[in-house]
Amino acid sequence: MEETAHSRGVAASGSHVVTRLGGLVQLQHWLDTLETTTTPEEITAALRDALGYEHVTLYLREEAVPSASHTWPPAEESGLVAWVVAQGAPLLVPDGRRDVRCCNAAGEIVAGSAMAAPLLIGEHLLGVLEVRAAEPNTFSESDLLILEVAAHQIATALESARFRAEHKALLEETRRKLDEMSTLYQVAQEVTGSLQLDEVLETVVQAIRRALNCRGCCVFLLNPSDQMLEIKAAAGLKPEWRHMARLAIGEGIAGKVAASLQPLYVPDTQAYPDYIVFDPEVRCLLAVPLQAQGRLIGVLNIDHTQPDAFTPDHERLLTVAASQVAVAIDNARLYTQLLAEKRRQDEFLAIVSHELRTPLTCIQSSVSLLLEDEPPDGETAREFLEIIQRQNERLVLIVNNLLNATRLEHAELQLVHQPVALDELISRAVRRLRLLAAEKQITMRTQLPDESIRIVGDADWLEQTLVNLLDNAIKFTPPEGEVSVAVQVMPQEVEVTVRDTGIGIPESDLERVFDKFYRVPDQLSGVPRPRYGSGLGLYIVRRVVEAHGGHIRAASAPGTGSTFIISLPRGSATPDYATPSAP
Ligand code: ADP
């Protein structure tokens, strides 16, 4: 009873065939606008409209239409669909009463006549279109042909809808990527346009706020001295919050990001217990770490007044922007450092030439006076000679410091270790500066232990150290003041204290005075300071003391004088009972 084949080419006759041909055209129009969201029910309704069939069923594989509602493979209601699926060919059953394929599982006849056609794209089966009628012999071969065409139309429409949807998704993905790229490019361009840190930060927050369309954007930078995160630039934030927000690492959202070095998204600040409320308007927040060369330098933060306003896209963009921003910040800092270094060097050159010129001019004029046709009397001549000696000592000090600083710059400090009698070394240094002190009527005192103290070290470098400290003490003490050197011997170390009654050093500068080229500015100390000095003396002192395994500290308050204490390990230091001093 099984119908295996159907002859093609049966002439389509009768008015209903013509009507249905017109229906195919109508169907095609409808299918032209088919989308992946169209349901099989909508398609069958359109088919019914266009072709006039009463009982039409469309079985679709889920992949053909995501909204396919009929289960696939279709329920074995009739063998018709199963046959079409198996054969991949259309089938017409003119008389259902004589064909098991028109019976259901219970053996009941489900249709007087029926036909079905596969929805094929090449070899690939998308589904089956089935039409039934209650009466036998309702359909002809022409009807089957029309159904086949309709199935083909539907398959093609489904396939092109899927293709269009995929294409659209791809297009959207490409557009999104392009948008991201141009956002990042825009940020990168704006951010790298400047080398001034303030400008960079200001541009960053503006550019990111614009590009990511958020309410506020701010940059926290880590303050290396106290390890606190401070807002350094902000866009869209009220100024009062900007000054209030100071966070320790681990504290608040930015602090947590700094601690974990991971981005953090808070979709709803009101539901987040660790959120520190600075600005109650902020309802959602996204923060990413700023790292340069593997070091944390700060946190980049965006916020919104709506909860859940950010997506993974925002996080990705902000992370990439953060890496650009970190590099820009690093570059700006480096540039600032270079500028400062250059400025210091220029200043240094100016100071050195000035420093050298003053004693040289003094020496030159004293020598000219001594060599005049009528030479000065003995006492005046002696005064001139003393001036020459003093200025010569100053020249030696300056040149020694310059040479020593250059040596320290280019090589590790090479010490010649030998036993040194500390008291003799101090007396020598004091003698060298006697004239400079006398010039200002400054009293020089030394307090040395009764017995000579011997340490192991480099006599020349240690003498230079003491000379530098004494020279500063004299230089920064007004006339008629006092400079003293004292030695205290302790079990493990020896302390040499140089104290003066001079203008002092502000507390904030007590550490910096040991930096190369650093000189306390007038406005910091509040007192006019001598404008000479290279800023190298204490730098050399610290390097030498540390190379001896010791350390130096300074104590001072403006107006009350300064104290510098050098501690040197005694090592094999012993009271000197026998050996005379060596250097
Ligand atoms: P300089 O050659 O300028 O003295 P130093 O490195 O020896 O260079 O000192 C650095 C700065 O520290 C000085 O310029 C001065 O401002 C300050 N300073 C050093 N010693 C004293 C002191 N005894 N009293 C006051 N200020 C001092």
Side-chain angles (χ1 to χ4, degrees):
M1 294 256 281
E2 194 174 282
E3 299 220 354
T4 49
H6 40 267
S7 57
R8 299 294 169 95
V10 172
S13 60
S15 63
H16 77 279
V17 174
V18 177
T19 314
R20 282 183 179 147
L21 281 174
L24 284 179
V25 176
Q26 181 190 333
L27 179 68
Q28 187 57 50
H29 281 312
W30 187 86
L31 288 172
D32 281 345
T33 57
L34 188 103
E35 286 177 22
T36 47
T37 48
T38 313
T39 63
E41 287 72 24
E42 287 172 315
I43 303 175
T44 46
L47 259 169
R48 231 175 273 130
D49 262 13
L51 301 178
Y53 294 130
E54 265 306 304
H55 303 287
V56 187
T57 313
L58 180 61
Y59 296 93
L60 286 178
R61 296 194 128 150
E62 210 166 320
E63 71 207 50
V65 172
S67 55
S69 57
H70 291 268
T71 44
W72 186 272
E76 291 287 312
E77 243 186 60
S78 80
L80 203 71
V81 175
W83 189 93
V84 172
V85 170
Q87 303 296 318
L91 175 67
L92 169 68
V93 179
D95 190 347
R97 292 165 306 181
R98 301 181 185 189
D99 196 311
V100 289
R101 289 172 300 194
C102 278
C103 293
N104 63 16
E108 297 157 350
I109 297 166
V110 294
S113 59
M115 55 181 179
L119 268 64
L120 284 169
I121 292 293
E123 300 275 286
H124 185 61
L125 183 78
L126 296 185
V128 176
L129 182 58
E130 187 201 50
V131 182
R132 291 180 193 174
E135 296 301 314
N137 299 314
T138 308
F139 307 116
S140 67
E141 285 286 342
S142 312
D143 288 311
L144 182 64
L145 204 60
I146 286 170
L147 188 72
E148 237 186 300
V149 173
H152 182 68
Q153 283 177 306
I154 296 170
T156 314
L158 286 172
E159 186 62 4
S160 49
R162 193 180 60 79
F163 182 77
R164 275 200 311 273
E166 259 179 33
H167 203 69
K168 198 170 154 208
L170 255 169
L171 216 73
E172 267 166 17
E173 173 74 9
T174 313
R175 188 167 303 135
R176 207 167 49 82
K177 286 246 147 61
L178 264 173
D179 279 354
E180 284 187 4
M181 290 313 294
S182 69
T183 303
L184 290 174
Y185 177 71
Q186 190 189 340
V187 172
Q189 269 220 322
E190 295 194 26
V191 161
T192 47
S194 167
L195 278 169
Q196 302 292 336
L197 186 60
D198 288 352
E199 263 177 39
V200 168
L201 294 178
E202 215 41 57
T203 322
V204 162
V205 289
Q206 301 290 354
I208 290 182
R209 182 175 179 230
R210 223 178 13 254
L212 298 187
N213 204 12
C214 47
R215 182 209 79 136
C217 173
C218 67
V219 174
F220 286 86
L221 285 191
L222 185 69
N223 185 338
S225 58
D226 60 4
Q227 293 294 298
M228 294 293 281
L229 290 163
E230 293 163 1
I231 294 189
K232 288 292 177 196
L237 242 71
K238 296 199 187 104
E240 63 259 39
W241 310 126
R242 185 175 168 160
H243 299 303
M244 273 174 67
R246 238 181 138 256
L247 298 166
I249 291 191
E251 189 186 8
I253 310 297
K256 284 203 183 324
V257 169
S260 66
L261 299 179
Q262 294 296 325
L264 180 60
Y265 176 40
V266 177
D268 189 351
T269 50
Q270 290 181 2
Y272 193 82
D274 287 342
Y275 178 64
I276 298 176
V277 183
F278 287 113
D279 187 344
E281 262 184 38
V282 174
R283 283 300 305 277
C284 97
L285 211 127
L286 175 63
V288 298
L290 284 169
Q291 294 180 85
Q293 295 166 32
R295 270 181 309 106
L296 175 83
I297 58 169
V299 173
L300 182 60
N301 195 100
I302 54 173
D303 64 47
H304 214 285
T305 47
Q306 298 297 319
D308 221 354
F310 300 129
T311 62
D313 283 352
H314 285 97
E315 184 174 323
R316 210 178 42 244
L317 270 174
L318 196 64
T319 305
V320 180
S323 60
Q324 296 171 338
V325 167
V327 171
I329 293 175
D330 214 34
N331 283 346
R333 281 183 167 165
L334 216 70
Y335 178 70
T336 313
Q337 269 170 22
L338 281 176
L339 275 189
E341 181 74 15
K342 165 114 185 31
R343 198 172 324 119
R344 269 207 305 272
Q345 283 185 3
D346 289 349
E347 225 177 84
F348 169 72
L349 279 180
I351 290 165
V352 167
S353 24
H354 176 258
E355 284 266 279
L356 292 174
R357 194 171 323 116
T358 317
L360 278 174
T361 318
C362 279
I363 293 173
Q364 197 181 28
S365 47
S366 303
V367 170
S368 317
L369 287 171
L370 282 172
L371 294 179
E372 262 185 3
D373 292 342
E374 258 180 63
D377 59 49
E379 201 176 327
T380 320
R382 188 178 165 77
E383 270 172 26
F384 285 147
L385 285 172
E386 275 180 1
I387 290 176
I388 292 173
Q389 195 183 10
R390 278 200 304 270
Q391 298 305 331
N392 185 50
E393 181 59 47
R394 180 147 292 289
L395 273 183
V396 171
L397 280 179
I398 297 167
V399 173
N400 273 352
N401 273 345
L402 284 176
L403 289 176
N404 288 339
T406 320
R407 275 162 68 193
L408 287 178
E409 184 90 330
H410 295 295
E412 269 307 298
L413 193 51
Q414 300 287 332
L415 298 177
V416 181
H417 283 284
Q418 55 190 350
V420 180
L422 199 55
D423 48 336
E424 288 181 20
L425 193 136
I426 291 171
S427 306
R428 242 187 349 262
V430 170
R431 263 200 313 280
R432 273 178 70 181
L433 292 168
R434 195 173 27 97
L435 284 175
L436 292 180
E439 193 182 23
K440 292 171 80 177
Q441 292 98 46
I442 287 176
T443 314
M444 296 269 266
R445 292 189 199 287
T446 45
Q447 276 179 315
L448 301 174
D450 294 340
E451 62 221 8
S452 175
I453 292 297
R454 213 169 250 285
I455 62 166
V456 174
D458 188 306
D460 290 341
W461 278 111
L462 285 174
E463 184 175 325
Q464 181 70 46
T465 299
L466 277 170
V467 166
N468 283 359
L469 289 179
L470 288 169
D471 180 42
N472 277 348
I474 296 167
K475 206 158 59 179
F476 296 106
T477 297
E480 296 171 14
E482 193 176 301
V483 171
S484 65
V485 193
V487 174
Q488 207 185 347
V489 183
M490 287 177 293
Q492 300 296 328
E493 51 191 19
V494 185
E495 268 188 6
V496 181
T497 304
V498 176
R499 183 171 283 126
D500 64 56
T501 56
I503 56 177
I505 302 168
E507 194 175 343
S508 55
D509 272 71
L510 281 178
E511 260 306 302
R512 294 194 67 189
V513 288
F514 297 103
D515 291 351
K516 197 159 55 164
F517 302 139
Y518 188 76
R519 300 186 309 154
V520 178
D522 268 356
Q523 69 269 25
L524 269 187
S525 56
V527 273
R529 310 178 73 83
R531 290 310 301 152
Y532 50 84
S534 59
L536 287 172
L538 290 178
Y539 163 72
I540 294 172
V541 169
R542 178 149 78 179
R543 290 284 307 265
V544 173
V545 170
E546 287 176 354
H548 278 83
H551 52 92
I552 178 163
R553 57 189 196 279
S556 176
T560 63
S562 309
T563 306
F564 286 85
I565 304 170
I566 294 176
S567 303
L568 291 166
R570 285 184 66 178
S572 55
T574 45
D576 179 25
Y577 298 116
T579 341
S581 77

